[in-house]
Amino acid sequence: PFITFNLESGPFAASHPDGKTLREAAAYATDLEAIHRAVFYGRGDIATGYFPKVSPWHASPEGWAGRYDPDKAKFLLKKARAEGTTVLLQANDSWPYMQQTGELLQAMWSNVGFKVNYNIYDAAVLLQKRRSGEFHADSQAGSYRYDPDGFFSRQVLSTAPATREASRFHNDKAGKLIVDARQTADKHKRLELYRAVETIIHTKLTM
């Protein structure tokens, strides 16, 4: 699973003056090891990118530069004068691991100073919330794609319907890299391009 931030509206928005800082605070407040143990019983590996290390398309072995640090999360919220910021967190009612991840995030984010309103919706309501932008963070997951373009062009490319309904992420450089990778047959070159895309994602903290 992964968490998608609404980059168009709300406290995590790209246009919000402290949006990046609040996304960083949420990331530092997230204990991935605890989620890994509680939700997945320690099975598998914690992802550092869109594809696991056993995949030939594993492009980002180092992942996001930060690590779980609730004190830093509290510091960032205080610095932004954003303690008590309301966060609308949602999850799909069909998949227990998305719900359980959301429950843990509600506790973790609340612990550092966010005010988290967590709701679990059926698919129809969830789709409406996404399309209208009535959420700030979304506990999601994606099925494995044998070709990485099936994920990047669906979840990251700004023109993709799923992107426009979820993160609203828009980055011209990332978009060009994804299109270039789609048009390239050389696997090593594609990995370099996807690594560059994932570096942008890690830097911008869009999810």
Side-chain angles (χ1 to χ4, degrees):
F2 53 87
I3 302 302
T4 296
F5 294 115
N6 182 342
L7 299 175
E8 186 175 76
S9 62
F12 300 127
S15 60
H16 190 292
D18 294 311
K20 172 71 180 299
T21 299
L22 297 188
R23 295 196 301 275
E24 288 180 332
Y28 279 114
T30 302
D31 187 345
L32 297 178
E33 292 284 354
I35 294 173
H36 186 220
R37 292 192 303 270
V39 179
F40 299 99
Y41 305 101
R43 296 173 181 169
D45 297 306
I46 295 174
T48 57
Y50 289 117
F51 286 80
K53 64 182 182 182
V54 295
S55 168
W57 297 110
H58 180 55
S60 299
E62 65 284 335
W64 176 54
R67 293 294 180 267
Y68 174 57
D69 188 341
D71 290 333
K72 186 161 187 176
K74 292 175 183 178
F75 169 78
L76 290 171
L77 280 178
K78 186 175 182 179
K79 179 182 177 182
R81 298 182 180 179
E83 294 156 298
T85 294
T86 297
V87 173
L88 304 179
L89 174 64
Q90 62 185 22
N92 192 315
D93 70 350
S94 300
W95 308 101
Y97 61 89
M98 292 186 203
Q99 299 166 26
Q100 294 160 7
T101 299
E103 290 169 1
L104 289 172
L105 283 176
Q106 181 183 30
M108 292 171 185
W109 291 0
S110 296
N111 183 57
V112 301
F114 286 107
K115 181 180 179 181
V116 184
N117 295 332
Y118 177 47
N119 290 288
I120 299 171
Y121 300 115
D122 63 37
V125 174
L126 191 70
L127 182 59
Q128 185 274 324
K129 293 287 184 182
R130 287 174 179 166
R131 286 177 172 172
S132 64
E134 297 178 62
F135 73 97
H136 301 148
D138 194 342
S139 178
Q140 295 185 283
S143 57
Y144 186 80
R145 299 291 193 274
Y146 290 98
D147 188 281
D149 185 65
F151 189 89
F152 286 97
S153 286
R154 183 177 184 273
Q155 298 286 160
V156 183
L157 193 64
S158 61
T159 55
T163 305
R164 290 184 295 196
E165 289 178 359
S167 69
R168 279 94 164 150
F169 174 65
H170 182 88
N171 184 283
D172 290 336
K173 183 178 179 180
K176 184 179 185 306
L177 290 166
I178 292 168
V179 173
D180 287 349
R182 182 193 302 161
Q183 298 171 345
T184 302
D186 185 279
K187 178 185 174 183
H188 294 293
K189 180 61 176 176
R190 292 185 80 193
L191 270 174
E192 289 178 7
L193 294 168
Y194 289 132
R195 179 181 176 83
V197 175
E198 293 195 14
T199 297
I200 292 172
I201 298 300
H202 291 317
T203 302
K204 300 290 186 181
L205 275 181
T206 64
M207 59 177 65

